[in-house]
Amino acid sequence: MNAPAQLQIDIVSDVVCPWCAIGYAQLERAIGTLGDRVEVGVRWHPFQLAPYLPPEGQNVAEYTKERYGATPEQSSSSRTRITDAGKELGLEFNFSADSRIYNTRRAHKLLTWAGETGGQTALKKAFFNAYFTQQKNVSDDDVLLDAVEAAGLDRTAAEAALIDPRYDAVVDAELAHWLDQNISGVPAFIVNGKYMIPGAQDADTFVRVLEKVMEKEAA
């Protein structure tokens, strides 16, 4: 039996990006399909959709109008499409007319911290749940720390990370790096540091691309 292929997948994403949650769920399905043919490591990297927002955030419909020129009807239709796509993957998006988008810088500080302890993916999922399912303010420290506990991580250590300037420096450097790599939209999946898969692909597409990467790497 051949040894499993080794794949490192770096995911550039934001906590308030619904297609990032959907894309990762599709990737998980693809990895499940590939089974014992692969061993996959995942690292999450920061991207901010709305770094300029204050702690109280902004209404999602207002945000999509300002950023994309979307009408209220288009914004509502988009949220319905996202909700339906999530249902097929076991993701619960509870959007409403009052849903808001938030500044996620402090969430990215904690994700950077969690990357040192092996709990990064669990924390990312907990943040997705807090924001999309529970509709909570993910710029609020208590919300973030509750998610840390939900992910099975140390709340006290996370509190210390939130005030540690070292994580500010790392987040700033990463944000700048990915912009320098011409990543202007998320999610973006970079496989083995060489192959970029843009957007929330379906599981079958991920399987096809990952199989091609496995063939190239084997050669």
Side-chain angles (χ1 to χ4, degrees), residues 53-59 98-103 137 139-140:
L53 288 180
E56 66 271 17
Q58 182 182 23
N59 180 273
D98 297 322
S99 291
R100 303 182 74 77
I101 185 169
Y102 299 100
N103 186 315
N137 178 351
S139 70
D140 179 88

Side-chain angles (χ1 to χ4, degrees), residues 61-110:
E62 292 175 4
Y63 167 80
T64 55
K65 179 181 179 181
E66 288 181 7
R67 178 155 184 166
Y68 306 109
T71 65
E73 292 77 19
Q74 288 170 328
S75 181
S76 176
S77 176
S78 175
R79 293 195 296 272
T80 297
R81 186 161 60 96
I82 290 165
T83 300
D84 291 344
K87 282 179 182 176
E88 294 182 12
L89 296 160
L91 301 174
E92 185 179 348
F93 293 94
N94 289 321
F95 294 119
S96 73
D98 297 322
S99 291
R100 303 182 74 77
I101 185 169
Y102 299 100
N103 186 315
T104 53
R105 179 180 179 80
R106 295 182 74 72
H108 287 304
K109 285 186 70 173
L110 289 179

Side-chain angles (χ1 to χ4, degrees), residues 170-190:
V170 174
V171 170
D172 284 341
E174 284 233 55
L175 290 169
H177 170 75
W178 295 112
L179 288 175
D180 286 345
Q181 297 301 307
N182 296 316
I183 291 179
S184 58
V186 287
F189 303 83
I190 299 96

